[in-house]
Amino acid sequence: MRLRFFLSSPGDVADERTFAQQVIEQELPKDPFVRGLVDCEAVRWDDPAAPVAMPATLTPQEAVNRGLPRPSACDCVVVVLWARMGTPLPASCARPDGSRYLSGTEWEYEDALNAKPQPHILVYRRRSPPELGNPLDADYDERLAQYRRANDFFKRFRNADGSLAGGFAEYDTPQEFRDRLRVDLRAFIQRRLEVERANGQTVRVNVPPPYGRIAKALASGSAVPIIGPGISRSGRPADAPWDPDAPRFLPSGTELSACLADEAGFPSQTERDQLAEVASYYEAFQTRDALHERLRSLLAPAAPDKLAVPPLYSLLATLEKPLLIITTNYDTLIEQVFRRAQKPYDLVVYSELKELGNAVLWWPHGALKPETVTPNELFIELDRTTVIFKMHGSIVPQSAELDSFVITESDYVELLSRIASKSAIPALFASHCRDRNLLFLGYSLRDWSFRTILQSLNRFFAKRLVAGDDEIQSWAIDDRFSELELKFWQRRGVYPFEVNLDEFVRLLRARMPS
């Protein structure tokens, strides 16, 4: 949902205008209760990033009306006054009855007040006494007249007996205004979200991802791509069926699950797309070795060079700065792309093989055989070396005996247990993620891989939610998120964006620094 907030005020409350824009465009979107659900835009004539042009042939108010949305067209109007009312408007901008407006601020307030439907209107006044200067000063009379006009404006909010006829809030300092505005606007947004939900509407953000910021984070090595099963939909023709006998691309999780279900005689028609359950059934009624062999044949076909490649892999292989890349996929496509691009990388694979204990497999760049290292003893200079960490195991082209798959329900339970005991993810990688932007690509709550990723990074999410102005932004990209997935990302301080992965990579590539 996109909301526009019109800021109306004369020039003596410039600090308040700056604070208001910061609250609207920087602070509110990071609020855990609205993160990922609302895009906020401040509309102000003196926006430093996009000021309104002031042609000599127009009055200032006419220029503002041409250059900005009218207050009545915005969702919320914030009026702030202190000791000035502003310049009275000319007769050409009079009310229908011919009376003149005290200033553009009064016109903007009444434009919102008379609108149908009416935007949410908030009025504030700084109550600390203004400095009017010496009565002998040449401009003292004008300052006094401005102060009186501001007082006249607020008379409309009181009845003849002095009781309030309308609402406005008073404050003493610009900082106090900022705190009050944050609370008021947060309450307004929450009410809007409740109305949307009560009407059965899906509250979604339709703004594009911050391509420039993501591109800069990747190019500088300060982002950690975390690649999920949804990447299998990338780089392949839309609606083209996967053929296990003549594959042109790798299967999605649903296609792989359906294939295994057919071969194993999986009894449930409603759970055929649940890969963990189907793989567990396959293992139970055949063997673990049979499951491994079939996965290898399906995910490492005889002609891998003919498989479609996700564009994301090609983009990552062009980056100069070292990256930590985490993936929960079992195939070796990303490694093949890096080798073809002659991009050096170390490969680290989580292994569920009991004979290796809790060790990970580590192939330093160029090594034909892996080293076995306990996760907390692994050391790689991440500021110099790109690392691909396969968190759920991998096919090992050189040796089928080292193939490892976290795919059955018991595999995921074991992985979660090792995550809890800090013996699954190398400590080096965990500390590296602490102050990096996390970029989640192709994750669904239906996947067990999603749950293990969340569990492994939970302590970092909590820190990001309280980071304030120094927030380390993270993003989730996928074609579509369910309401529950949006809430999951929102509560963990991650900005979700619904965009096709191939389109995302195309636009991201265009924004990469040259």
Side-chain angles (χ1 to χ4, degrees):
M1 179 169 60
R2 185 175 182 83
L3 297 176
R4 291 190 296 186
F5 299 80
F6 193 99
L7 304 183
S8 176
S9 66
D12 63 333
V13 286
D15 289 343
E16 285 87 331
R17 295 175 69 82
T18 299
F19 282 148
Q21 184 163 13
Q22 290 174 354
V23 167
I24 292 166
E25 295 185 342
Q26 299 178 29
E27 298 180 24
L28 288 175
K30 299 175 185 178
D31 190 302
F33 290 95
V34 302
R35 184 191 299 269
L37 299 177
V38 176
D39 177 54
C40 300
E41 176 191 0
V43 178
R44 53 181 288 196
W45 67 269
D46 59 341
D47 187 339
V52 173
M54 294 290 177
T57 56
L58 299 176
T59 67
Q61 191 61 43
E62 289 171 334
V64 169
N65 294 347
R66 286 192 182 186
L68 295 178
R70 288 171 62 132
S72 55
C74 294
D75 301 280
C76 179
V77 175
V78 178
V79 179
V80 188
L81 292 165
W82 181 23
R84 285 183 54 81
M85 195 66 211
T87 304
L89 298 190
S92 59
C93 296
R95 296 183 180 87
D97 65 2
S99 59
R100 303 275 290 273
Y101 290 101
L102 295 174
S103 68
T105 298
E106 185 175 50
W107 180 92
E108 290 162 352
Y109 170 76
E110 293 192 13
D111 180 69
L113 188 68
N114 297 325
K116 295 182 180 179
Q118 189 184 87
H120 188 61
I121 304 173
L122 295 169
V123 181
Y124 301 88
R125 189 180 193 187
R126 194 195 298 189
R127 61 186 160 202
S128 55
E131 292 291 337
L132 297 179
N134 191 316
L136 298 179
D137 292 343
D139 58 352
Y140 175 80
D141 290 341
E142 172 60 20
R143 289 198 298 268
L144 182 60
Q146 285 284 342
Y147 186 47
R148 287 171 175 169
R149 289 191 196 114
N151 289 334
D152 289 342
F153 175 82
F154 282 96
K155 288 178 181 178
R156 71 178 66 205
F157 295 102
R158 293 192 180 275
N159 296 311
D161 61 0
S163 61
L164 285 175
F168 68 94
E170 295 182 313
Y171 63 93
D172 290 317
T173 65
Q175 292 75 16
E176 183 182 330
F177 163 77
R178 178 180 188 166
D179 295 338
R180 175 63 185 264
L181 181 68
R182 186 189 302 113
V183 171
D184 291 345
L185 293 187
R186 186 175 185 271
F188 162 68
I189 292 173
Q190 287 185 304
R191 286 196 298 273
R192 284 292 298 266
L193 291 173
E194 290 168 1
V195 169
E196 297 284 324
R197 295 188 181 103
N199 292 336
Q201 300 179 26
T202 299
V203 181
R204 296 183 182 276
V205 175
N206 55 7
V207 295
Y211 289 105
R213 186 163 187 170
I214 297 173
K216 183 178 179 181
L218 286 170
S220 65
S222 63
V224 177
I226 303 177
I227 304 169
I231 199 68
S232 63
R233 300 189 302 273
S234 178
R236 57 185 279 183
D239 302 323
W242 169 66
D243 182 355
D245 298 319
R248 292 179 292 148
F249 39 79
L250 291 176
S252 67
T254 299
E255 291 166 333
L256 179 60
S257 184
C259 178
L260 296 177
D262 287 340
E263 295 177 2
F266 187 68
S268 172
Q269 292 299 312
T270 60
E271 297 180 345
R272 287 168 52 83
D273 61 345
Q274 300 298 302
L275 182 57
E277 289 86 337
V278 171
S280 299
Y281 186 87
Y282 195 109
E283 179 186 41
F285 283 87
Q286 297 195 36
T287 65
R288 181 74 177 183
D289 288 343
L291 176 62
H292 272 215
E293 290 173 7
R294 189 55 178 142
L295 290 172
R296 185 181 181 87
S297 67
L298 294 172
L299 300 176
D305 291 343
K306 297 182 179 180
L307 294 176
V309 173
L312 173 71
Y313 294 170
S314 301
L315 173 62
L316 294 178
T318 66
L319 301 180
E320 295 183 6
K321 293 288 186 179
L323 286 176
L324 169 63
I325 302 169
I326 300 175
T327 176
T328 54
N329 297 312
Y330 317 111
D331 64 83
T332 61
L333 270 184
I334 189 170
E335 296 101 296
Q336 294 171 36
V337 171
F338 271 62
R339 286 197 298 272
R340 286 199 291 265
Q342 299 183 334
K343 173 73 173 181
Y345 68 92
D346 282 17
L347 178 66
V348 179
V349 176
Y350 168 91
S351 178
E352 40 82 24
L353 301 176
K354 302 299 182 185
E355 58 267 28
L356 297 181
N358 285 340
V360 294
L361 301 174
W362 172 32
W363 284 263
H365 177 63
L368 297 178
K369 294 183 179 181
E371 300 178 26
T372 55
V373 187
T374 58
N376 292 336
E377 294 179 354
L378 177 70
F379 178 74
I380 303 172
E381 291 185 273
L382 295 178
D383 58 340
R384 297 185 178 183
T385 309
T386 289
V387 175
I388 300 172
F389 174 42
K390 308 193 81 170
M391 184 175 162
H392 287 173
S394 177
I395 293 167
V396 178
Q398 302 90 344
S399 175
E401 294 180 353
L402 293 177
D403 285 354
S404 180
F405 301 97
V406 177
I407 191 168
T408 67
E409 290 175 312
S410 60
D411 293 335
Y412 283 107
V413 170
E414 173 65 21
L415 175 57
L416 287 169
S417 174
R418 286 181 56 178
I419 288 173
S421 64
K422 299 182 179 180
S423 62
I425 299 177
L428 176 69
F429 299 165
S431 60
H432 185 79
C433 289
R434 185 173 294 114
D435 58 354
R436 297 296 194 283
N437 306 102
L438 306 179
L439 177 60
F440 297 88
L441 299 139
Y443 277 98
S444 167
L445 185 59
R446 291 167 60 85
D447 300 321
W448 271 88
S449 57
F450 181 90
R451 305 174 211 179
T452 53
I453 282 288
L454 290 183
Q455 182 64 31
S456 62
L457 296 172
N458 258 344
R459 62 186 183 276
F460 301 137
F461 290 134
K463 292 181 179 180
R464 287 159 198 267
L465 286 174
V466 298
D469 291 338
D470 298 325
E471 178 199 36
I472 303 171
Q473 287 193 8
S474 293
W475 312 280
I477 309 295
D478 204 6
D479 294 353
R480 187 75 173 172
F481 294 108
S482 69
E483 291 298 313
L484 185 56
E485 287 164 347
L486 287 173
K487 190 168 290 293
F488 259 74
W489 289 128
Q490 168 196 348
R491 288 182 173 175
R492 284 159 177 79
V494 177
Y495 294 87
F497 293 94
E498 294 179 327
V499 58
N500 175 270
L501 288 170
D502 287 346
E503 178 72 0
F504 170 76
V505 174
R506 183 183 70 81
L507 294 173
L508 183 66
R509 185 185 292 274
R511 299 297 298 274
M512 296 301 297
S514 57

